[in-house]
Every structure is written in C-alpha cells, then in structure tokens.
Amino acid sequence: MALYEPFPNYIWNLSVAIAMESGAQLGEIIDMCQPIKDAAASGADAGTPMFMKAWAAMGDKLIALAAEDEAKGRGFSASNKLERASLYLITAERMQGHGHPGRRETFARARNAFDRSTVLGQLNRQRVEIPLTVGTMPALYTRASGDGRKPVVVFCNGLDSCKELLYWTRLPQELARRGISTLCLDQPGSGEALRLQDLPVDPHSENWASAAVDWLERQPDVDPKRIGMTGISLGGHFAPRAVAYEPRFASGAVWGANHNWREVQDRRMAREGENPVPHYWAHVHWAFGAKDQEDFLAKSEAMNLNGHMDRIKVPFLVTHGANDRQISVQYADDLYDQLVNSPRREKVVFTAREGGVEHVGADNMAYGRDLISDWFAETLGGHTA
C-alpha cells in the first residue's frame, strides 16, 4: 500500500490523500492538481497560494452546481455536491498560513456548504455546542439508530483537522452501524474553536473531554456508563491523557500513537520527520496561542504521556502505521508498554499486507476505521455483525 503522490512534496500529497479518503472524486482531484504541478516545485510553503486557488475554485463550482440541483428539487444530489465542495474548501483553507488573505472567507464558505448539505441530504449528524469554562466546543453528533440509551464515542481532532474531517473518516457511520453514537469535537486549538473563538490548545485534554462527558450525560439517548474516547493524529495524545484523568470513560483507542509530542518538536527542529501542514511553526504558534518559538516550546512542555498511562484502568487500543513519516512507530510501543493497569490492551501496527501504513492511514483508512469500530463495539457493548 502506498500514498498517492502526484506532487514532489509530502505535505501536498498528504492533503490530496486525506481528501481522497474523505470522499473526493478522482476526476476532480486530477482537475485540481494538474494545473498546479509546476507550483509544487517551489516547495510546500511557497506554492500554497496556487493550491488554495485551485481547490477553492472547484469548491465554488460545486456550490453553483448544487444550487442548480436544488432549484430542480434534487436535494440529495445537491447535498452530495455540497459535501465535496466543503471538503475541497476545507482542504484549501487548511493548507494556508495563519492570516493568509481569503482564509477566513474560505472557511466560512466551507462551513455553510457543510451545514446545507446536512439539511438537504437528511444526514445523520447534528451540530451542537458544548459549554466550556471559556467559550464553547462545536461538535457533530451522529446517533445510533433504535430506542433506548446507546453507547457513544468521543472523537477528537489532531493538530490541523476539524470535526468535519473527523466525520468524513466515516468512523461515525461505522460506529452507528454497530449501535454506537459518536461526538466529533472541535476541541480548543482546532477547527472552529480556534478559528472563530481563538481558543488555544489545552494540553490537559481532560479539561475539555470532561466537558464533553458532562454534555453526553445530559442526553436522554446516551448510556453514561458506556462512553469511550478516541483521537486521530495529535488526538492520539489527547485521548490517552483524557482517559487517564477522566474516570467516566469506559474504553479508549488511538488512531496513531502520539506519546511524546514535545519530543517530536525537537526532532522537527532538527529536520527529522515530515510536517503535516505548510508554514508549520506559524501554525503551532497560532494553535497554542504562543507569541514566539520559545513560548510555544514552553506551552507544549506538558505534551508527554510518560508517567501518566498507568492511570488508565479501562480497555485501550493502540494503532499506528508502520511507515508513518510524521510520528515514529516507537511511540506506539511506548504507549502500549505503559498501559500496565489496563485490563485489556491491544497494539496493532498496520503493515503493507493490509495498508494504512502512513500517518493515520492516509493511504487507506479502511483498516483503522474497521478495527477501531469493532474495538468499541466489543468494549462498550455494541455489535460487530
């Protein structure tokens, strides 16, 4: 299994791969990528304005085509187009540096397309706002079908993702199929919480994860004894930390182990490993609310799970890609080895035999999605068949 690599730099290829795994159409990918191949030669940072222009243009075209469908009463077709429009606009926005001209407007168009798609497509996702000590945490709630109280999984972002991308992993759909609801979060430092409320990363993830549990416990369709937690990419740091310090979680999993993210920053300063987005240092300064590199390094000092994982006393699954170019597979070993008090721990490193070898399965999310869904079905009382 290999990452689709139309460009000469990893960061652009990663964005394309994530879009493809999130529901992009191959023909539209080709139409967006072909005209900007020369720009890619300038480097991941320098060429990004061309990337944004090409992808945003496709998003805007699909919004126009969706309007034509809607005018004819074809709501489902309009929803499908708006879904891809939102994906392409979010991909364009995600690639830009903080403060880049047009970034805020692109994000607004993406959100509007996503919300309209939800309505026209009658999709199983509800936008909710979870109160925090300061501000709110926007989220998407996907419900399992049937009567009675259901188990639910809290699903958190990585460094540069958003709740819409979490939904597009199709983990919520697979969990719903197994009788489990999902709450996809824009936690502080990500998605709308960062972009619209200026809420920076809180390394103590139990603070906002506990707020999510508080909200879920008030929902009449949730079984408060069967709440799990997972995260993707940097969420593979936040989820274990939250499960360790929030005793109401009944099970946990990571989609990519991010055991010592502070150490990863040292390695990136030494130019070891790939970055997830262009303008990387500017992005992390923004996400952490740091005024400069020294301030960022101080704020990220707590991003290390060593000495915390023995607090986890519930089932926990560790997954990682064997060829992850961002986060060393060694961190999966570290996390698993330190889950000494988990009554059921499992580690799965995806190899070339099945795929999902790249960072969070960017080359193939199917195996991680299925495994994590089955894990929660088995540990929270869902069903696998």
Side-chain angles (χ1 to χ4, degrees), residues 195-211:
R195 287 159 175 80
L196 303 184
Q197 300 183 56
D198 295 319
L199 297 180
V201 169
D202 181 352
H204 297 158
S205 54
E206 65 272 16
N207 293 335
W208 46 262
S210 294

Side-chain angles (χ1 to χ4, degrees), residues 99 101 261 298 382:
W261 195 72

Side-chain angles (χ1 to χ4, degrees), residues 201-324:
V201 169
D202 181 352
H204 297 158
S205 54
E206 65 272 16
N207 293 335
W208 46 262
S210 294
V213 175
D214 291 342
W215 184 87
L216 287 168
E217 287 187 331
R218 295 193 293 269
Q219 307 312 306
D221 59 329
V222 170
D223 183 344
K225 301 297 184 183
R226 294 190 290 164
I227 300 176
M229 173 85 182
T230 190
I232 195 165
S233 192
L234 185 54
H237 178 96
F238 294 133
R241 166 91 195 195
V243 173
Y245 284 92
E246 173 46 78
R248 291 175 291 177
F249 284 120
S251 180
V254 296
W255 201 339
N258 224 318
H259 189 76
N260 190 341
W261 195 72
R262 177 61 184 81
E263 185 175 76
V264 172
Q265 306 319 298
D266 294 333
R267 292 179 175 180
R268 284 180 174 160
M269 285 188 289
R271 298 187 178 276
E272 297 177 16
E274 296 284 0
N275 291 337
V277 290
H279 318 287
Y280 176 75
W281 296 112
H283 181 86
V284 294
H285 293 174
W286 175 39
F288 277 75
K291 62 180 181 292
D292 54 28
Q293 186 73 349
E294 182 179 0
D295 188 29
F296 161 67
L297 293 175
K299 290 177 183 294
S300 63
E301 191 64 37
M303 305 286 285
N304 180 352
L305 297 179
N306 288 323
H308 299 282
M309 294 300 92
D310 60 342
R311 297 175 61 97
I312 292 180
K313 298 178 182 179
V314 298
F316 206 95
L317 169 68
V318 180
T319 76
H320 209 86
N323 296 338
D324 191 322

Side-chain angles (χ1 to χ4, degrees), residues 12-31:
W12 285 31
N13 292 330
L14 179 68
S15 286
V16 172
I18 291 171
M20 292 175 69
E21 288 295 304
S22 300
Q25 290 293 127
L26 181 58
E28 290 167 351
I29 289 282
I30 292 171
D31 286 348

Side-chain angles (χ1 to χ4, degrees), residues 236 240 254 257-259 305-306 309-310 312 314-320 329-349 375:
V254 296
N258 224 318
H259 189 76
L305 297 179
N306 288 323
M309 294 300 92
D310 60 342
I312 292 180
V314 298
F316 206 95
L317 169 68
V318 180
T319 76
H320 209 86
V329 71
Q330 177 63 47
Y331 290 130
D333 298 333
D334 293 341
L335 177 54
Y336 176 80
D337 290 345
Q338 294 177 30
L339 293 168
V340 293
N341 291 317
S342 170
R344 176 181 174 183
R345 58 176 175 166
E346 185 174 338
K347 178 179 66 177
V348 176
V349 176
W375 172 264

